[in-house]
Coordinates of all heavy atoms in Angstrom, one line a residue:
S1 N 55.7 -28.6 85.0 CA 54.7 -28.4 83.9 C 55.3 -27.7 82.8 O 55.9 -26.7 83.0 CB 53.5 -27.6 84.6 OG 53.6 -27.3 85.8
G2 N 55.1 -28.1 81.5 CA 55.5 -27.4 80.4 C 56.9 -27.2 80.3 O 57.3 -26.1 79.9
G3 N 57.8 -28.1 80.8 CA 59.3 -27.9 80.7 C 59.9 -27.0 81.8 O 61.0 -26.7 81.9
A4 N 59.0 -26.7 82.8 CA 59.5 -26.0 84.0 C 60.5 -26.7 84.7 O 60.4 -28.0 84.8 CB 58.4 -25.5 84.9
C5 N 61.4 -26.1 85.4 CA 62.5 -26.8 86.1 C 61.8 -27.3 87.5 O 61.1 -26.5 88.3 CB 63.6 -25.9 86.4 SG 64.8 -26.5 87.5
V6 N 61.9 -28.6 87.8 CA 61.2 -29.0 89.0 C 62.4 -29.2 90.1 O 63.4 -29.8 89.8 CB 60.6 -30.5 88.8 CG1 60.0 -31.1 90.0 CG2 59.6 -30.3 87.6
P7 N 62.2 -28.5 91.1 CA 63.2 -28.6 92.3 C 63.4 -30.0 92.7 O 62.5 -30.8 92.6 CB 62.5 -27.8 93.4 CG 61.5 -26.9 92.7 CD 61.0 -27.8 91.6
S8 N 64.5 -30.4 93.2 CA 64.9 -31.7 93.6 C 64.8 -31.9 95.1 O 65.6 -32.7 95.7 CB 66.3 -32.1 93.2 OG 67.2 -31.2 93.7
W9 N 64.0 -31.0 95.8 CA 63.8 -31.1 97.2 C 63.6 -32.4 97.6 O 62.7 -33.1 97.1 CB 62.8 -30.0 97.7 CG 63.1 -28.7 97.4 CD1 64.3 -28.0 97.6 CD2 62.3 -27.7 96.8 NE1 64.2 -26.7 97.3 CE2 62.9 -26.5 96.8 CE3 60.9 -27.7 96.4 CZ2 62.4 -25.3 96.3 CZ3 60.4 -26.6 95.9 CH2 61.1 -25.4 95.8
G10 N 64.1 -32.9 98.7 CA 63.9 -34.2 99.3 C 64.5 -35.4 98.6 O 64.3 -36.5 98.9
R11 N 65.4 -35.1 97.6 CA 65.9 -36.2 96.8 C 67.5 -36.5 97.1 O 68.1 -37.3 96.5 CB 65.9 -36.0 95.3 CG 64.3 -36.0 94.9 CD 64.2 -35.9 93.5 NE 62.9 -35.6 93.2 CZ 62.5 -34.9 92.0 NH1 63.4 -34.5 91.1 NH2 61.2 -34.6 91.8
D12 N 68.1 -35.7 98.0 CA 69.5 -35.9 98.2 C 69.7 -37.1 99.2 O 69.2 -37.1 100.3 CB 70.1 -34.6 99.0 CG 71.5 -34.6 99.2 OD1 72.1 -35.7 99.3 OD2 72.2 -33.5 99.1
P13 N 70.3 -38.1 98.6 CA 70.5 -39.3 99.4 C 71.3 -39.2 100.7 O 71.0 -40.0 101.7 CB 71.3 -40.3 98.5 CG 72.0 -39.4 97.5 CD 71.1 -38.1 97.3
R14 N 72.0 -38.2 101.0 CA 72.6 -37.8 102.2 C 71.6 -37.6 103.4 O 71.9 -37.9 104.6 CB 73.6 -36.7 102.1 CG 74.8 -36.9 101.2 CD 75.6 -35.8 101.1 NE 74.8 -34.6 100.4 CZ 75.2 -33.4 100.2 NH1 76.5 -33.2 100.5 NH2 74.5 -32.5 99.6
F15 N 70.5 -37.2 103.0 CA 69.4 -36.9 104.0 C 68.4 -38.0 104.2 O 67.5 -37.9 104.9 CB 68.7 -35.7 103.7 CG 69.6 -34.4 103.7 CD1 69.6 -33.5 102.4 CD2 70.5 -34.1 104.6 CE1 70.5 -32.4 102.5 CE2 71.4 -33.1 104.5 CZ 71.3 -32.1 103.5
A16 N 68.7 -39.2 103.6 CA 67.8 -40.3 103.6 C 68.1 -41.1 104.9 O 68.2 -42.3 104.9 CB 67.9 -41.2 102.4
I17 N 68.3 -40.5 106.0 CA 68.5 -41.1 107.3 C 67.6 -40.6 108.3 O 67.1 -39.6 108.2 CB 70.0 -40.9 107.7 CG1 70.3 -39.5 107.8 CG2 71.1 -41.6 106.8 CD1 71.7 -39.1 108.4
G18 N 67.4 -41.4 109.4 CA 66.3 -41.1 110.4 C 66.4 -39.6 111.1 O 65.5 -39.0 111.3
Q19 N 67.7 -39.1 111.3 CA 67.9 -37.9 111.9 C 67.4 -36.7 111.0 O 67.3 -35.7 111.4 CB 69.4 -37.7 112.2 CG 69.9 -38.5 113.3 CD 70.5 -39.8 112.8 OE1 70.0 -40.4 111.7 NE2 71.5 -40.3 113.5
C20 N 67.2 -37.0 109.8 CA 67.0 -36.0 108.8 C 65.4 -35.9 108.4 O 65.0 -34.9 107.7 CB 67.7 -36.0 107.4 SG 69.5 -36.0 107.8
I21 N 64.7 -36.9 108.9 CA 63.3 -37.0 108.6 C 62.5 -36.2 109.5 O 62.7 -36.4 110.8 CB 62.8 -38.5 108.6 CG1 63.5 -39.2 107.4 CG2 61.2 -38.5 108.4 CD1 63.3 -40.6 107.4
E22 N 61.7 -35.2 109.1 CA 60.9 -34.4 110.0 C 59.5 -34.9 109.8 O 58.8 -34.6 108.8 CB 61.0 -33.0 109.7 CG 60.3 -32.1 110.6 CD 60.4 -32.4 112.1 OE1 61.5 -32.0 112.6 OE2 59.5 -32.9 112.8
S23 N 58.9 -35.7 110.7 CA 57.6 -36.2 110.5 C 56.5 -35.5 111.3 O 55.3 -35.9 111.2 CB 57.6 -37.8 111.0 OG 58.1 -37.8 112.3
R24 N 56.9 -34.5 112.1 CA 55.8 -33.7 112.8 C 55.0 -32.9 111.8 O 55.5 -32.5 110.8 CB 56.5 -32.9 113.8 CG 57.1 -33.6 114.9 CD 57.8 -32.8 116.0 NE 59.0 -32.2 115.4 CZ 59.8 -31.2 115.9 NH1 59.5 -30.8 117.1 NH2 60.8 -30.7 115.3
A25 N 53.8 -32.5 112.3 CA 53.0 -31.5 111.4 C 53.6 -30.1 111.6 O 54.3 -29.9 112.7 CB 51.6 -31.5 112.0
W26 N 53.3 -29.3 110.7 CA 53.9 -27.8 110.7 C 53.7 -27.2 112.1 O 54.5 -26.7 112.7 CB 53.2 -27.0 109.7 CG 53.7 -25.6 109.6 CD1 53.3 -24.6 110.3 CD2 54.7 -25.0 108.8 NE1 54.0 -23.4 110.1 CE2 54.9 -23.7 109.2 CE3 55.7 -25.6 107.9 CZ2 55.8 -22.9 108.6 CZ3 56.7 -24.7 107.4 CH2 56.7 -23.5 107.7
R27 N 52.3 -27.3 112.6 CA 52.0 -26.6 113.9 C 52.8 -27.2 115.0 O 53.0 -26.5 116.0 CB 50.5 -26.6 114.1 CG 49.9 -27.9 114.7 CD 48.4 -27.8 114.9 NE 47.9 -29.0 114.3 CZ 47.1 -29.0 113.3 NH1 46.6 -27.9 112.8 NH2 46.6 -30.1 112.9
E28 N 53.1 -28.5 115.0 CA 53.9 -29.2 116.1 C 55.3 -28.6 116.0 O 55.9 -28.3 117.1 CB 54.0 -30.7 115.9 CG 52.7 -31.4 116.1 CD 52.7 -32.8 115.9 OE1 53.0 -33.2 114.7 OE2 52.4 -33.6 116.8
V29 N 56.0 -28.5 114.9 CA 57.3 -27.9 114.8 C 57.4 -26.6 115.3 O 58.2 -26.2 116.2 CB 57.8 -27.9 113.3 CG1 59.1 -27.3 113.2 CG2 57.9 -29.5 112.8
V30 N 56.5 -25.6 114.8 CA 56.6 -24.3 115.3 C 56.1 -24.1 116.7 O 56.6 -23.1 117.4 CB 55.8 -23.4 114.4 CG1 56.3 -23.4 112.9 CG2 54.3 -23.6 114.4
S31 N 55.5 -24.9 117.4 CA 55.1 -24.9 118.8 C 56.2 -25.5 119.7 O 56.6 -24.9 120.6 CB 53.8 -25.4 119.1 OG 53.7 -26.8 119.0
E32 N 56.6 -26.6 119.2 CA 57.7 -27.3 120.1 C 59.1 -26.8 119.9 O 59.9 -26.9 120.8 CB 57.7 -28.9 119.7 CG 56.4 -29.6 120.1 CD 56.3 -31.1 119.5 OE1 57.3 -31.5 118.9 OE2 55.3 -31.6 119.6
D33 N 59.4 -26.2 118.8 CA 60.7 -25.6 118.5 C 60.7 -24.1 118.5 O 61.5 -23.6 117.8 CB 61.3 -26.2 117.2 CG 61.6 -27.7 117.3 OD1 62.2 -28.0 118.4 OD2 61.3 -28.5 116.4
A34 N 59.8 -23.5 119.2 CA 59.7 -22.0 119.2 C 61.1 -21.5 119.6 O 61.8 -21.9 120.5 CB 58.7 -21.6 120.3
G35 N 61.5 -20.5 118.8 CA 62.8 -19.8 119.1 C 63.9 -20.5 118.5 O 64.9 -20.1 118.5
R36 N 63.7 -21.6 117.8 CA 64.7 -22.6 117.2 C 64.7 -22.6 115.7 O 65.3 -23.5 115.1 CB 64.7 -23.9 117.8 CG 66.0 -24.6 118.0 CD 65.8 -26.0 118.5 NE 66.4 -27.0 117.6 CZ 66.0 -28.1 117.2 NH1 64.8 -28.4 117.5 NH2 66.7 -28.8 116.3
F37 N 63.8 -21.9 115.1 CA 63.6 -22.0 113.6 C 63.4 -20.6 113.0 O 63.1 -19.7 113.7 CB 62.4 -22.9 113.4 CG 61.1 -22.2 113.7 CD1 60.4 -21.4 112.8 CD2 60.6 -22.4 114.9 CE1 59.2 -20.9 113.2 CE2 59.3 -21.9 115.3 CZ 58.7 -21.1 114.4
T38 N 63.6 -20.6 111.7 CA 63.4 -19.5 110.8 C 62.6 -20.0 109.7 O 62.7 -21.1 109.2 CB 64.7 -18.9 110.3 OG1 65.6 -18.7 111.4 CG2 64.5 -17.7 109.5
T39 N 61.6 -19.2 109.2 CA 60.8 -19.6 108.1 C 60.5 -18.5 107.1 O 60.8 -17.3 107.5 CB 59.5 -20.2 108.6 OG1 58.8 -20.8 107.5 CG2 58.6 -19.2 109.3
G40 N 60.1 -18.7 106.0 CA 59.9 -17.7 104.9 C 59.2 -18.3 103.8 O 59.0 -19.5 103.6
G41 N 58.9 -17.5 102.8 CA 58.3 -17.9 101.5 C 59.4 -18.2 100.5 O 60.5 -17.8 100.6
L42 N 58.9 -19.0 99.6 CA 59.9 -19.5 98.5 C 60.1 -18.5 97.3 O 60.9 -18.7 96.5 CB 59.5 -20.8 97.9 CG 59.8 -22.0 98.9 CD1 59.0 -23.3 98.4 CD2 61.2 -22.2 99.1
G43 N 59.3 -17.5 97.3 CA 59.4 -16.5 96.3 C 59.3 -17.0 94.9 O 58.4 -17.7 94.6
K44 N 60.4 -16.8 94.1 CA 60.4 -17.3 92.7 C 60.4 -18.8 92.5 O 60.1 -19.3 91.5 CB 61.6 -16.7 91.8 CG 61.4 -15.2 91.6 CD 62.6 -14.7 90.9 CE 62.4 -13.1 90.6 NZ 63.5 -12.6 89.8
L45 N 60.8 -19.5 93.5 CA 60.8 -21.0 93.6 C 59.5 -21.6 94.0 O 59.3 -22.8 93.9 CB 61.9 -21.4 94.6 CG 63.3 -21.1 94.3 CD1 64.2 -21.6 95.5 CD2 63.7 -21.7 92.9
M46 N 58.6 -20.7 94.3 CA 57.2 -21.2 94.8 C 56.4 -21.9 93.7 O 56.4 -21.5 92.6 CB 56.5 -20.0 95.3 CG 55.0 -20.5 95.9 SD 54.0 -19.0 96.3 CE 55.0 -18.1 97.5
V47 N 55.9 -23.0 94.1 CA 54.8 -23.7 93.2 C 53.6 -23.6 94.1 O 53.4 -24.3 95.1 CB 55.3 -25.2 92.9 CG1 54.2 -26.0 92.1 CG2 56.5 -25.3 92.3
V48 N 52.7 -22.8 93.6 CA 51.4 -22.4 94.4 C 50.6 -23.7 94.7 O 50.3 -24.5 93.8 CB 50.5 -21.3 93.7 CG1 49.4 -21.1 94.5 CG2 51.3 -20.1 93.5
G49 N 50.2 -23.9 96.0 CA 49.5 -25.0 96.4 C 50.3 -26.3 96.5 O 49.7 -27.3 97.0
K50 N 51.5 -26.3 96.3 CA 52.4 -27.4 96.4 C 53.7 -27.0 97.3 O 53.8 -27.5 98.4 CB 53.0 -27.9 95.1 CG 53.9 -29.2 95.2 CD 53.1 -30.4 95.6 CE 53.9 -31.6 95.5 NZ 53.5 -32.8 96.2
Y51 N 54.5 -26.2 96.8 CA 55.7 -25.7 97.6 C 55.6 -24.1 97.7 O 55.9 -23.4 96.8 CB 57.0 -26.1 96.9 CG 57.1 -27.5 96.6 CD1 57.2 -28.0 95.2 CD2 57.1 -28.6 97.5 CE1 57.4 -29.3 95.0 CE2 57.3 -29.9 97.2 CZ 57.3 -30.3 95.9 OH 57.4 -31.6 95.6
E52 N 55.3 -23.6 98.9 CA 55.1 -22.3 99.1 C 56.1 -21.6 100.1 O 56.5 -20.6 100.2 CB 53.7 -22.0 99.5 CG 52.8 -22.3 98.4 CD 51.3 -22.0 98.7 OE1 51.0 -21.4 99.8 OE2 50.4 -22.3 97.9
V53 N 56.6 -22.5 101.2 CA 57.3 -22.0 102.4 C 58.5 -23.0 102.6 O 58.5 -24.1 102.3 CB 56.5 -21.7 103.6 CG1 55.5 -20.6 103.4 CG2 55.7 -23.0 104.0
W54 N 59.5 -22.4 103.4 CA 60.6 -23.2 103.9 C 60.7 -22.9 105.3 O 60.1 -21.9 105.9 CB 61.9 -22.8 103.2 CG 62.3 -21.3 103.3 CD1 61.9 -20.4 102.3 CD2 62.9 -20.7 104.3 NE1 62.3 -19.1 102.7 CE2 62.9 -19.3 104.1 CE3 63.4 -21.0 105.5 CZ2 63.5 -18.3 104.8 CZ3 64.0 -20.1 106.4 CH2 64.0 -18.7 106.0
L55 N 61.4 -24.0 106.0 CA 61.6 -23.8 107.5 C 63.0 -24.3 107.8 O 63.3 -25.4 107.2 CB 60.5 -24.6 108.2 CG 60.6 -24.5 109.8 CD1 59.3 -24.4 110.3 CD2 61.2 -25.9 110.2
C56 N 63.8 -23.6 108.5 CA 65.1 -24.0 109.0 C 65.1 -24.2 110.4 O 64.7 -23.3 111.2 CB 66.2 -23.0 108.5 SG 66.4 -22.9 106.8
L57 N 65.5 -25.4 110.8 CA 65.6 -25.7 112.3 C 67.2 -25.5 112.6 O 68.0 -26.2 112.0 CB 65.1 -27.0 112.6 CG 63.7 -27.3 112.4 CD1 63.4 -28.8 112.4 CD2 63.0 -26.6 113.6
H58 N 67.4 -24.7 113.7 CA 68.7 -24.5 114.2 C 69.3 -25.5 115.2 O 68.4 -26.0 115.9 CB 68.9 -23.0 114.8 CG 68.3 -21.9 113.8 ND1 68.9 -21.7 112.6 CD2 67.2 -21.2 113.9 CE1 68.1 -20.7 112.0 NE2 67.1 -20.4 112.8
N59 N 70.5 -25.7 115.2 CA 71.1 -26.7 116.1 C 70.4 -28.0 116.0 O 70.1 -28.7 116.9 CB 71.1 -26.3 117.6 CG 71.7 -24.9 117.8 OD1 72.8 -24.8 117.4 ND2 71.0 -24.0 118.5
H60 N 70.4 -28.5 114.7 CA 69.7 -29.8 114.3 C 70.9 -30.9 114.1 O 72.0 -30.5 113.7 CB 69.0 -29.6 113.0 CG 68.0 -30.7 112.7 ND1 68.3 -31.9 112.2 CD2 66.7 -30.6 112.8 CE1 67.2 -32.7 112.2 NE2 66.3 -31.8 112.5
D61 N 70.5 -32.1 114.4 CA 71.6 -33.2 114.3 C 71.7 -33.8 112.9 O 72.7 -34.5 112.6 CB 71.4 -34.3 115.3 CG 70.1 -35.0 115.1 OD1 69.3 -34.4 114.5 OD2 70.1 -36.1 115.8
C62 N 70.8 -33.5 112.0 CA 70.9 -34.0 110.6 C 72.1 -33.8 109.9 O 72.8 -34.7 109.4 CB 69.7 -33.6 109.8 SG 69.7 -34.0 108.1
P63 N 72.7 -32.5 109.8 CA 73.8 -32.2 108.9 C 75.0 -33.0 109.6 O 75.8 -33.4 108.7 CB 74.0 -30.7 109.1 CG 72.6 -30.2 109.3 CD 72.0 -31.2 110.2
M64 N 75.2 -33.2 110.8 CA 76.2 -33.9 111.4 C 76.1 -35.4 111.2 O 76.9 -36.0 110.7 CB 76.3 -33.6 112.9 CG 77.5 -34.3 113.6 SD 77.7 -33.8 115.3 CE 76.2 -34.2 116.0
A65 N 74.9 -35.9 111.4 CA 74.7 -37.3 111.1 C 74.9 -37.8 109.5 O 75.3 -38.8 109.2 CB 73.2 -37.7 111.4
A66 N 74.5 -36.7 108.7 CA 74.7 -36.9 107.2 C 76.3 -36.8 106.9 O 76.5 -37.0 105.7 CB 73.8 -36.0 106.4
G67 N 77.1 -36.4 107.8 CA 78.5 -36.3 107.5 C 78.8 -34.9 106.8 O 79.9 -34.9 106.2
L68 N 78.0 -33.9 107.0 CA 78.2 -32.7 106.3 C 78.9 -31.7 107.2 O 79.5 -30.7 106.7 CB 76.9 -32.1 105.8 CG 76.1 -33.0 104.8 CD1 74.7 -32.4 104.4 CD2 76.9 -33.1 103.5
T69 N 78.8 -31.9 108.5 CA 79.4 -31.0 109.5 C 80.0 -31.8 110.7 O 79.7 -33.1 110.8 CB 78.3 -30.0 110.1 OG1 77.4 -30.7 110.8 CG2 77.8 -29.1 109.0
T70 N 80.7 -31.3 111.5 CA 81.2 -32.1 112.7 C 80.5 -31.6 114.0 O 80.9 -31.9 115.1 CB 82.8 -31.7 112.8 OG1 82.8 -30.2 113.0 CG2 83.6 -32.2 111.7
Q71 N 79.4 -30.7 113.7 CA 78.6 -30.3 115.0 C 77.2 -30.1 114.5 O 76.9 -30.1 113.3 CB 79.2 -29.1 115.6 CG 79.4 -28.0 114.6 CD 80.1 -26.9 115.2 OE1 80.9 -27.0 116.2 NE2 80.2 -25.6 114.5
Y72 N 76.3 -29.9 115.5 CA 75.0 -29.5 115.2 C 74.9 -28.3 114.2 O 75.8 -27.4 114.5 CB 74.1 -29.2 116.4 CG 73.8 -30.4 117.3 CD1 74.5 -30.7 118.5 CD2 73.0 -31.5 116.8 CE1 74.2 -31.8 119.2 CE2 72.8 -32.5 117.5 CZ 73.3 -32.7 118.8 OH 73.1 -33.9 119.5
A73 N 74.1 -28.3 113.3 CA 73.9 -27.2 112.3 C 72.5 -26.9 112.0 O 71.5 -27.6 112.4 CB 74.8 -27.5 111.1
T74 N 72.4 -25.9 111.2 CA 71.0 -25.6 110.6 C 70.6 -26.5 109.6 O 71.3 -26.8 108.7 CB 70.9 -24.2 110.2 OG1 71.3 -23.2 111.2 CG2 69.6 -23.8 109.6
M75 N 69.4 -27.0 109.7 CA 68.8 -28.0 108.6 C 67.4 -27.4 108.1 O 66.6 -26.9 108.9 CB 68.4 -29.4 109.3 CG 67.9 -30.3 108.4 SD 69.1 -30.8 107.1 CE 68.0 -31.5 105.9
C76 N 67.4 -27.2 106.8 CA 66.3 -26.6 106.1 C 65.4 -27.6 105.4 O 65.8 -28.5 104.9 CB 66.8 -25.5 105.3 SG 67.7 -24.2 106.1
Y77 N 64.2 -27.2 105.3 CA 63.2 -28.1 104.7 C 62.2 -27.2 103.9 O 62.0 -26.0 104.3 CB 62.3 -28.8 105.8 CG 63.0 -29.7 106.6 CD1 63.5 -29.4 107.9 CD2 63.1 -31.1 106.2 CE1 64.3 -30.3 108.7 CE2 63.8 -32.0 107.1 CZ 64.4 -31.6 108.3 OH 65.1 -32.5 109.0
V78 N 61.7 -27.7 102.9 CA 60.6 -27.2 102.1 C 59.4 -27.8 102.5 O 59.4 -29.1 102.7 CB 60.9 -27.3 100.5 CG1 59.6 -26.8 99.8 CG2 62.1 -26.4 100.2
F79 N 58.2 -27.1 102.7 CA 57.0 -27.8 103.2 C 56.2 -28.1 101.9 O 55.9 -27.2 101.2 CB 56.3 -26.9 104.1 CG 55.1 -27.5 104.8 CD1 55.4 -28.6 105.7 CD2 53.9 -27.3 104.4 CE1 54.2 -29.3 106.3 CE2 52.8 -27.9 105.1 CZ 52.9 -28.9 105.9
D80 N 55.8 -29.4 101.8 CA 54.9 -29.9 100.8 C 53.5 -29.7 101.2 O 53.0 -30.3 102.1 CB 55.2 -31.3 100.4 CG 54.5 -31.8 99.2 OD1 53.2 -31.5 99.1 OD2 54.9 -32.7 98.5
E81 N 52.9 -28.5 100.7 CA 51.5 -28.3 101.1 C 50.5 -29.4 100.8 O 49.5 -29.6 101.6 CB 51.0 -27.0 100.3 CG 51.9 -25.8 100.6 CD 51.8 -25.2 102.0 OE1 50.9 -25.4 102.7 OE2 52.8 -24.4 102.3
E82 N 50.7 -30.1 99.7 CA 49.7 -31.1 99.2 C 49.8 -32.3 100.2 O 48.7 -32.8 100.6 CB 50.1 -31.5 97.8 CG 49.2 -32.6 97.4 CD 49.5 -33.0 95.9 OE1 50.7 -32.6 95.3 OE2 48.9 -34.0 95.3
Y83 N 51.0 -32.8 100.6 CA 51.1 -33.9 101.4 C 51.4 -33.6 102.8 O 51.6 -34.5 103.6 CB 52.2 -34.9 100.9 CG 51.9 -35.5 99.5 CD1 52.4 -35.1 98.4 CD2 50.9 -36.5 99.4 CE1 52.1 -35.6 97.1 CE2 50.5 -37.1 98.2 CZ 51.1 -36.5 97.1 OH 50.8 -37.1 95.9
E84 N 51.5 -32.3 103.1 CA 51.7 -31.8 104.5 C 53.0 -32.4 105.1 O 52.9 -33.0 106.2 CB 50.5 -31.9 105.4 CG 49.3 -31.2 104.9 CD 48.2 -31.1 105.8 OE1 48.0 -31.9 106.8 OE2 47.1 -30.5 105.5
S85 N 54.0 -32.4 104.3 CA 55.3 -33.1 104.8 C 56.5 -32.1 104.5 O 56.4 -31.2 103.8 CB 55.4 -34.4 104.1 OG 55.6 -34.2 102.7
F86 N 57.6 -32.4 105.2 CA 58.8 -31.5 105.1 C 59.7 -32.4 104.3 O 60.0 -33.5 104.4 CB 59.4 -31.4 106.5 CG 58.7 -30.4 107.4 CD1 57.7 -30.9 108.2 CD2 58.9 -29.0 107.3 CE1 57.0 -30.0 109.1 CE2 58.1 -28.2 108.1 CZ 57.2 -28.7 109.0
L87 N 60.4 -31.7 103.2 CA 61.4 -32.3 102.3 C 62.7 -31.5 102.7 O 62.8 -30.3 102.6 CB 60.9 -32.0 100.9 CG 59.6 -32.5 100.5 CD1 59.3 -32.0 99.1 CD2 59.6 -34.1 100.6
P88 N 63.8 -32.4 102.9 CA 65.1 -31.7 103.2 C 65.5 -30.8 102.0 O 65.2 -31.2 100.8 CB 66.0 -32.9 103.3 CG 65.1 -34.1 103.7 CD 63.8 -33.8 103.0
W89 N 66.0 -29.8 102.3 CA 66.4 -28.7 101.3 C 67.9 -28.6 101.3 O 68.4 -28.0 102.2 CB 65.6 -27.4 101.5 CG 66.0 -26.4 100.5 CD1 66.7 -26.5 99.3 CD2 65.5 -25.1 100.4 NE1 66.7 -25.4 98.6 CE2 66.0 -24.4 99.2 CE3 64.9 -24.3 101.4 CZ2 65.7 -23.1 99.0 CZ3 64.5 -22.9 101.1 CH2 65.1 -22.4 99.9

């Protein structure tokens, strides 16, 4: 809006593979992966009503499948509040 910098979350082609897509709902992720994630607010990067929080899943296979690491690593997402979906960060 009005020349503001729009984050490019979810646009990195390296993460456009099945292992990097998180299709579960927020409540499913936090209940099924209890103890395996960290989450927080976006602070100055926040777009109220759209992008407000991030979530990182530890020991995830996406970074390795995307060719970024040689082992499981932390994978982070921004949560799109409007579409209730996770965008690779």
Side-chain angles (χ1 to χ4, degrees):
S1 356
C5 179
V6 178
S8 61
W9 297 313
R11 296 187 194 152
D12 188 329
R14 294 175 297 181
F15 299 131
I17 56 176
Q19 292 91 328
C20 300
I21 296 170
E22 182 51 71
S23 58
R24 296 177 291 172
W26 180 275
R27 82 176 132 248
E28 291 175 302
V29 172
V30 298
S31 68
E32 294 172 9
D33 290 319
R36 206 183 131 227
F37 70 89
T38 306
T39 187
L42 286 168
K44 292 180 180 184
L45 297 176
M46 182 184 302
V47 178
V48 177
K50 182 68 173 167
Y51 306 117
E52 298 181 1
V53 296
W54 55 266
L55 178 137
C56 292
L57 291 166
H58 308 294
N59 298 315
H60 200 285
D61 62 342
C62 171
M64 184 172 56
L68 301 173
T69 65
T70 57
Q71 57 193 12
Y72 289 110
T74 299
M75 180 64 196
C76 296
Y77 297 89
V78 171
F79 189 69
D80 184 325
E81 305 284 344
E82 181 181 1
Y83 294 104
E84 296 184 358
S85 61
F86 290 93
L87 301 173
W89 183 8

